Amino acid sequence: MEAPDAASVFAALGQGSRLDLLRTLLEAGPAGLSAGTIGTALGIAPSTLSFHLRALEQVGLVRSTRQGRSLIYTAQIERLRHLIIFLSQDCCGGRPELCNDLVQAWPTSPPENGPMIPAYNVLFLCTRNSARSLLAEAILNKLGGERFHAYSAGSDPAPQPMPEVVEKLKNLGHDVSSIRSKSYREFQKPEAPRMDFVITLCDELQGQHCPDFGGHAITASWPLPGPGQFAPGSHERVLMLNELYASLFRRLGIFTSLNMDALDRMSLRHRLDHLSEAPLTVAKEH
């Protein structure tokens, strides 16, 4: 979600009856309510209720589906989750981990018996697959819920992940049970999942071009400095990992809020390239 989009959501909610309406639909859950039931519960005339429902539908907070002769309205929790992610992206001076509980407050998977949501496979590449790409994999798997399946790999993988990376992810509540350094060749095997997006996080993969994952995948490059330039356990390495986590959290929060169905390949590629321009303050070793 971007700033103009968030502003439109807040504008739609800037009215007492609409807030009450949305809270009523949230309480009803995935089953939703008919317009007549909502109007009776809130004491709103049909014409006024229709106006408010339309305003909330236009910004994606409410969806209507026809069941027989009635329209059933449901709150779109995923949309609210993207709003919370937008608000927490620059939490506490670029430390989104301090807003972690706020982001976790919203479910990341569709309700049971709800509509199926397409899932996208995303592969993050870096030379050693020991820090940047592992951070991105863990963050996207947490932010993306059921909509995104994240993976990572390297052209010359390290024997094991950087210990500080595993420790940081653990401390921030990420599942690290599957975190390991591995070769991108694992994802070129016939049985490997087909990638929808391949994003490189270093300037070059040891001087190579990005590996070929077929014409289906949309590729992008987000060059980020590596913490391996600093000594293990050093203050500079810790600072670098904090900055990398914050930067990736911001970028992937925006990435997960993109309306994939409404964008063509060129538009998606342009959005991904634009995200690569997000600044990162690099720690300097003295």
Side-chain angles (χ1 to χ4, degrees):
M1 180 175 290
E2 299 181 5
D5 200 16
S8 68
V9 174
F10 282 119
L13 288 173
Q15 202 274 348
S17 294
R18 292 178 195 167
L19 282 173
D20 291 340
L21 197 164
L22 184 61
R23 287 170 59 86
T24 299
L25 289 177
L26 286 168
E27 183 179 356
L33 296 170
S34 66
T37 302
I38 299 170
T40 300
L42 298 179
I44 301 177
S47 58
T48 304
L49 178 64
S50 176
F51 172 75
H52 290 320
L53 283 170
R54 185 164 58 252
L56 294 177
E57 277 194 283
Q58 287 174 345
V59 297
L61 290 172
V62 169
R63 176 183 295 171
S64 62
T65 56
R66 182 165 295 279
Q67 295 183 11
R69 301 177 62 182
S70 300
L71 282 176
I72 302 298
Y73 294 88
T74 54
Q76 297 304 288
I77 293 179
E78 184 75 5
R79 182 69 162 163
L80 287 173
R81 188 177 72 83
H82 287 155
L83 181 64
I84 296 299
I85 290 174
F86 169 81
L87 291 173
S88 65
Q89 281 169 4
D90 295 309
C91 178
C92 302
R95 297 181 63 194
E97 62 267 26
L98 298 182
C99 291
N100 201 41
D101 291 341
L102 183 65
V103 176
Q104 285 186 323
W106 297 97
T108 57
S109 57
E112 187 175 356
N113 299 324
M116 294 295 292
I117 299 176
Y120 300 93
N121 293 324
V122 183
L123 178 63
F124 297 99
L125 294 176
C126 214
T127 302
R128 301 292 280 167
N129 188 214
S130 62
R132 289 163 286 187
S133 50
L134 293 176
L135 289 172
E137 175 186 2
I139 292 170
L140 182 55
N141 275 330
K142 191 168 188 177
L143 291 182
E146 296 298 319
R147 290 190 62 226
F148 295 91
H149 299 154
Y151 307 87
S152 70
S155 59
D156 182 24
Q160 60 185 15
M162 196 174 286
E164 295 96 330
V165 169
V166 177
E167 180 181 4
K168 182 172 185 63
L169 291 174
K170 275 185 179 179
N171 291 339
L172 295 177
H174 292 276
D175 180 8
V176 298
S177 60
S178 61
I179 291 293
R180 63 185 179 90
S181 300
K182 54 203 168 295
S183 170
Y184 68 77
R185 298 189 186 281
E186 289 192 16
F187 298 95
Q188 293 181 320
K189 297 177 180 178
E191 67 273 17
R194 187 177 74 162
M195 293 301 152
D196 298 293
F197 298 91
V198 177
I199 302 174
T200 59
L201 299 178
C202 46
D203 292 329
E204 291 181 287
L205 294 174
Q206 286 199 334
Q208 306 169 24
H209 295 294
C210 183
D212 183 15
F213 290 93
H216 175 76
I218 296 174
T219 61
S221 176
W222 296 353
L224 293 170
Q229 63 187 293
F230 301 117
S234 66
H235 179 63
E236 289 82 3
R237 180 177 284 196
V238 172
L239 284 178
M240 174 65 77
L241 287 173
N242 288 341
E243 292 162 354
L244 285 170
Y245 185 94
S247 177
L248 287 167
F249 190 99
R250 286 194 297 270
R251 296 181 193 201
L252 293 172
I254 297 171
F255 176 66
T256 57
S257 70
L258 294 176
N259 187 345
M260 302 292 180
D261 295 332
L263 297 172
D264 58 29
R265 289 179 61 86
M266 185 174 295
S267 298
L268 279 172
R269 177 64 186 270
H270 177 74
R271 295 293 184 93
L272 289 177
D273 288 341
H274 181 70
L275 286 175
S276 73
E277 300 169 6
L280 175 70
T281 302
V282 181
K284 299 294 184 183
E285 189 169 27
H286 302 288

